[in-house]
Coordinates of all heavy atoms in Angstrom, one line a residue:
M205 N 87.6 124.1 168.2 CA 88.9 123.5 167.8 C 89.0 122.1 168.4 O 90.0 121.4 168.4 CB 90.1 124.4 168.3 CG 90.3 125.5 167.3 SD 91.8 126.4 167.7 CE 91.3 127.3 169.2
S206 N 87.9 121.6 169.0 CA 87.9 120.2 169.5 C 87.4 119.3 168.4 O 87.8 118.1 168.4 CB 86.9 120.1 170.7 OG 85.6 120.4 170.3
D207 N 86.7 119.8 167.4 CA 86.2 118.8 166.4 C 86.0 119.5 165.0 O 85.4 118.9 164.1 CB 84.8 118.3 166.8 CG 83.8 119.3 167.0 OD1 84.1 120.5 166.8 OD2 82.6 119.0 167.3
C208 N 86.7 120.6 164.7 CA 86.6 121.2 163.4 C 87.4 120.3 162.4 O 88.2 119.5 162.8 CB 87.1 122.7 163.4 SG 88.9 122.8 163.7
S209 N 87.3 120.6 161.1 CA 87.9 119.8 160.1 C 89.4 120.1 160.0 O 89.9 121.2 160.5 CB 87.3 120.0 158.7 OG 87.5 121.4 158.3
V210 N 90.2 119.3 159.4 CA 91.6 119.5 159.2 C 91.9 120.7 158.4 O 92.7 121.5 158.6 CB 92.3 118.2 158.6 CG1 93.6 118.5 158.0 CG2 92.3 117.1 159.5
S211 N 91.0 120.8 157.3 CA 91.2 121.9 156.4 C 90.9 123.3 157.0 O 91.6 124.3 156.8 CB 90.3 121.8 155.1 OG 89.0 121.7 155.4
L212 N 89.9 123.3 157.9 CA 89.5 124.5 158.6 C 90.6 124.9 159.6 O 91.0 126.1 159.7 CB 88.2 124.4 159.3 CG 87.7 125.6 160.1 CD1 87.5 126.8 159.1 CD2 86.4 125.3 160.8
A213 N 91.2 123.8 160.2 CA 92.3 124.1 161.2 C 93.5 124.7 160.5 O 94.1 125.6 161.1 CB 92.6 122.8 162.0
N214 N 93.8 124.1 159.3 CA 95.0 124.7 158.6 C 94.7 126.1 158.2 O 95.6 127.0 158.3 CB 95.2 123.9 157.3 CG 96.1 122.6 157.6 OD1 96.8 122.6 158.6 ND2 95.9 121.6 156.8
S215 N 93.5 126.4 157.7 CA 93.2 127.8 157.3 C 93.2 128.7 158.5 O 93.7 129.9 158.4 CB 91.8 127.8 156.7 OG 91.7 127.0 155.6
F216 N 92.7 128.3 159.6 CA 92.8 129.1 160.8 C 94.2 129.4 161.3 O 94.6 130.5 161.6 CB 92.0 128.5 161.9 CG 91.8 129.4 163.2 CD1 91.5 130.7 163.1 CD2 92.0 128.8 164.5 CE1 91.3 131.5 164.2 CE2 91.8 129.7 165.6 CZ 91.5 131.0 165.4
L217 N 95.1 128.4 161.2 CA 96.5 128.6 161.6 C 97.2 129.5 160.7 O 97.9 130.4 161.1 CB 97.2 127.2 161.7 CG 98.6 127.2 162.0 CD1 98.9 127.8 163.4 CD2 99.2 125.7 162.0
T218 N 96.9 129.3 159.4 CA 97.5 130.2 158.4 C 97.1 131.6 158.6 O 97.9 132.6 158.5 CB 97.1 129.8 157.0 OG1 97.6 128.5 156.7 CG2 97.7 130.8 155.9
F219 N 95.8 131.8 158.9 CA 95.2 133.2 159.2 C 95.9 133.8 160.4 O 96.3 135.0 160.3 CB 93.7 133.1 159.5 CG 93.1 134.3 159.9 CD1 92.7 135.3 158.9 CD2 92.8 134.6 161.2 CE1 92.0 136.4 159.3 CE2 92.2 135.8 161.6 CZ 91.8 136.7 160.6
I220 N 96.2 133.0 161.5 CA 96.8 133.6 162.7 C 98.3 134.0 162.3 O 98.7 135.1 162.7 CB 96.8 132.5 163.8 CG1 95.4 132.2 164.3 CG2 97.7 133.0 165.0 CD1 95.4 131.1 165.2
I221 N 99.0 133.1 161.6 CA 100.4 133.4 161.3 C 100.4 134.7 160.4 O 101.3 135.6 160.6 CB 101.1 132.3 160.5 CG1 101.1 131.1 161.5 CG2 102.5 132.7 160.1 CD1 101.6 129.8 160.8
D222 N 99.6 134.8 159.4 CA 99.5 135.9 158.5 C 99.2 137.2 159.3 O 99.7 138.3 159.0 CB 98.4 135.7 157.4 CG 98.4 136.8 156.4 OD1 99.5 137.2 156.0 OD2 97.3 137.2 155.9
F223 N 98.2 137.1 160.3 CA 97.9 138.3 161.1 C 99.1 138.8 161.9 O 99.3 139.9 162.0 CB 96.7 137.9 162.0 CG 96.2 139.0 162.9 CD1 95.2 139.9 162.4 CD2 96.7 139.2 164.2 CE1 94.8 140.9 163.2 CE2 96.3 140.2 165.0 CZ 95.3 141.1 164.5
C224 N 99.8 137.8 162.5 CA 101.0 138.2 163.3 C 102.0 138.9 162.4 O 102.7 139.9 162.9 CB 101.6 136.9 163.9 SG 100.6 136.3 165.3
I225 N 102.2 138.4 161.2 CA 103.2 139.0 160.3 C 102.8 140.4 159.9 O 103.6 141.4 160.0 CB 103.4 138.1 159.0 CG1 104.0 136.8 159.4 CG2 104.2 138.8 157.9 CD1 104.1 135.8 158.2
K226 N 101.5 140.6 159.6 CA 101.1 141.9 159.1 C 101.1 142.9 160.2 O 101.3 144.1 160.1 CB 99.7 141.7 158.5 CG 99.7 141.1 157.1 CD 98.3 140.9 156.5 CE 98.3 140.3 155.2 NZ 97.0 140.2 154.6
Q227 N 100.7 142.4 161.5 CA 100.7 143.4 162.6 C 102.0 143.5 163.4 O 102.0 144.1 164.4 CB 99.5 142.9 163.6 CG 98.2 142.8 162.9 CD 97.7 144.2 162.4 OE1 97.9 145.2 163.0 NE2 97.0 144.2 161.3
D228 N 103.0 142.8 162.9 CA 104.3 142.8 163.5 C 104.2 142.3 164.9 O 104.9 142.9 165.9 CB 104.9 144.3 163.5 CG 106.4 144.3 163.6 OD1 107.0 143.3 163.3 OD2 106.9 145.3 164.1
I229 N 103.5 141.3 165.1 CA 103.5 140.6 166.4 C 104.5 139.5 166.5 O 104.4 138.5 165.7 CB 102.1 140.0 166.7 CG1 101.0 141.2 166.7 CG2 102.0 139.3 168.1 CD1 99.6 140.7 166.8
P230 N 105.5 139.6 167.4 CA 106.5 138.5 167.4 C 106.0 137.2 168.0 O 105.1 137.3 168.8 CB 107.6 139.1 168.4 CG 106.8 140.1 169.3 CD 105.7 140.6 168.4
F231 N 106.4 136.1 167.4 CA 106.0 134.9 168.0 C 107.2 133.9 168.2 O 108.1 133.9 167.4 CB 105.0 134.2 167.1 CG 105.3 134.2 165.6 CD1 106.1 133.2 165.1 CD2 105.0 135.3 164.9 CE1 106.4 133.2 163.7 CE2 105.2 135.3 163.5 CZ 106.0 134.2 162.9
K232 N 107.2 133.3 169.3 CA 108.3 132.4 169.7 C 108.1 131.0 169.2 O 109.0 130.2 168.9 CB 108.4 132.3 171.2 CG 108.6 133.6 171.9 CD 108.8 133.5 173.4 CE 107.5 133.0 174.1 NZ 106.4 134.1 174.1
T233 N 106.8 130.6 169.0 CA 106.5 129.2 168.6 C 106.9 129.0 167.2 O 106.7 129.8 166.2 CB 104.9 129.0 168.6 OG1 104.4 129.4 169.9 CG2 104.6 127.6 168.4
K234 N 107.6 127.9 167.0 CA 108.2 127.5 165.7 C 107.1 126.8 164.9 O 107.1 125.6 164.7 CB 109.5 126.7 165.8 CG 110.6 127.4 166.3 CD 111.9 126.6 166.0 CE 112.1 126.4 164.5 NZ 113.4 125.8 164.2
V235 N 106.2 127.6 164.4 CA 105.1 127.1 163.5 C 105.3 127.6 162.0 O 104.4 127.4 161.2 CB 103.7 127.3 164.0 CG1 103.5 126.6 165.3 CG2 103.5 128.8 164.1
I236 N 106.4 128.3 161.8 CA 106.5 128.9 160.5 C 106.7 127.9 159.4 O 106.5 128.1 158.3 CB 107.7 129.9 160.6 CG1 107.6 131.0 159.5 CG2 109.0 129.2 160.4 CD1 106.6 132.0 159.9
D237 N 107.0 126.7 159.9 CA 107.1 125.5 158.9 C 105.8 125.2 158.2 O 105.8 124.7 157.1 CB 107.6 124.3 159.5 CG 106.8 123.8 160.7 OD1 106.3 124.6 161.4 OD2 106.6 122.6 160.8
E238 N 104.7 125.7 158.8 CA 103.4 125.5 158.2 C 103.2 126.3 156.9 O 102.3 126.0 156.2 CB 102.3 125.9 159.2 CG 102.2 125.0 160.4 CD 101.7 123.6 160.0 OE1 100.8 123.5 159.2 OE2 102.3 122.6 160.5
I239 N 104.0 127.4 156.7 CA 103.8 128.2 155.5 C 104.7 128.0 154.4 O 104.7 128.7 153.4 CB 103.9 129.7 155.9 CG1 105.3 130.1 156.1 CG2 103.1 130.0 157.2 CD1 105.6 131.6 156.3
W240 N 105.5 127.0 154.4 CA 106.5 126.7 153.4 C 106.0 126.7 152.0 O 106.6 127.1 151.1 CB 107.4 125.5 153.8 CG 106.7 124.2 153.5 CD1 105.9 123.5 154.4 CD2 106.6 123.4 152.3 NE1 105.4 122.4 153.8 CE2 105.8 122.3 152.6 CE3 107.2 123.6 151.1 CZ2 105.6 121.3 151.6 CZ3 107.0 122.6 150.1 CH2 106.2 121.5 150.4
N241 N 104.8 126.1 151.8 CA 104.3 126.0 150.5 C 103.2 127.0 150.2 O 102.5 126.9 149.2 CB 103.7 124.6 150.3 CG 102.6 124.3 151.2 OD1 102.3 125.0 152.2 ND2 101.8 123.3 151.0
D242 N 103.1 128.1 151.0 CA 102.1 129.1 150.8 C 102.8 130.4 150.3 O 103.4 131.1 151.0 CB 101.4 129.4 152.1 CG 100.1 130.2 151.9 OD1 100.2 131.2 151.2 OD2 99.1 130.0 152.5
Y243 N 102.6 130.6 149.0 CA 103.3 131.8 148.4 C 102.9 133.1 149.0 O 103.7 133.9 149.3 CB 103.0 131.8 146.9 CG 103.6 133.0 146.2 CD1 104.8 132.9 145.6 CD2 102.8 134.2 146.0 CE1 105.4 134.0 145.0 CE2 103.3 135.2 145.4 CZ 104.6 135.2 144.8 OH 105.2 136.3 144.2
G244 N 101.6 133.2 149.3 CA 101.1 134.5 149.9 C 101.8 134.8 151.2 O 102.2 135.9 151.5

């Protein structure tokens, strides 16, 4: 995560958020704005 691409970083962040949602892991960080245009 020091030098990966922008697209890979976005994909990884989306993957983390999706994992938290599916596993019912609560998160305090307000990063949910990252998914506004992701229908899935």
